[in-house]
């Protein structure tokens, strides 16, 4: 996952298995390594143009890429 505000998942009673998992660094090599990107929270700190340039498939649940030119079929709204 990538989140500029949650750099590491803290230990919680629920989902303890994720504790200590760290956000990947925002750079092309890391983001392009994923087959799909899921936008579940629209942060203003995220460069969605870069996301579109680096990722072949994006599921956008927040309409965060509405103003970004993307390839046909690249962005799926959910």
């Amino acid at each position: 996952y990538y989140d500029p505000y949650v750099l590491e998942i803290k230990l919680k009673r629920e989902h303890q298995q994720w504790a200590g998992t760290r956000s990947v660094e925002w750079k092309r090599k890391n983001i392009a390594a994923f087959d799909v990107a899921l936008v579940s929270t629209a942060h203003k700190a995220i460069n969605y143009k870069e996301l579109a340039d680096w990722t072949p498939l994006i599921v956008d649940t927040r309409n965060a890429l509405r103003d970004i030119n993307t390839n046909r079929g690249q962005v799926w709204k959910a």
Side-chain angles (χ1 to χ4, degrees):
Y1 78 94
Y2 172 75
D3 190 315
Y5 303 112
V6 181
L7 301 179
E8 182 176 327
I9 297 174
K10 305 295 182 202
L11 180 62
K12 302 278 185 182
R13 194 170 21 184
E14 303 87 17
H15 312 294
Q16 294 178 20
Q17 72 274 18
W18 295 107
T21 302
R22 297 188 55 80
S23 172
V24 298
E25 185 179 354
W26 184 264
K27 61 183 183 178
R28 178 186 287 268
K29 179 182 174 186
N30 293 342
I31 304 304
F34 295 99
D35 295 326
V36 63
L38 171 69
V39 178
S40 59
T41 303
H43 291 309
K44 291 183 179 182
I46 293 176
N47 184 331
Y48 291 103
K49 173 67 174 123
E50 286 181 344
L51 181 66
D53 290 343
W54 299 346
T55 310
L57 180 61
I58 302 166
V59 177
D60 186 357
T61 69
R62 294 295 186 227
N63 203 23
L65 284 96
R66 68 183 163 274
D67 297 326
I68 306 294
N69 289 327
T70 58
N71 297 324
R72 184 180 186 131
Q74 180 183 13
V75 177
W76 290 77
K77 296 185 181 191

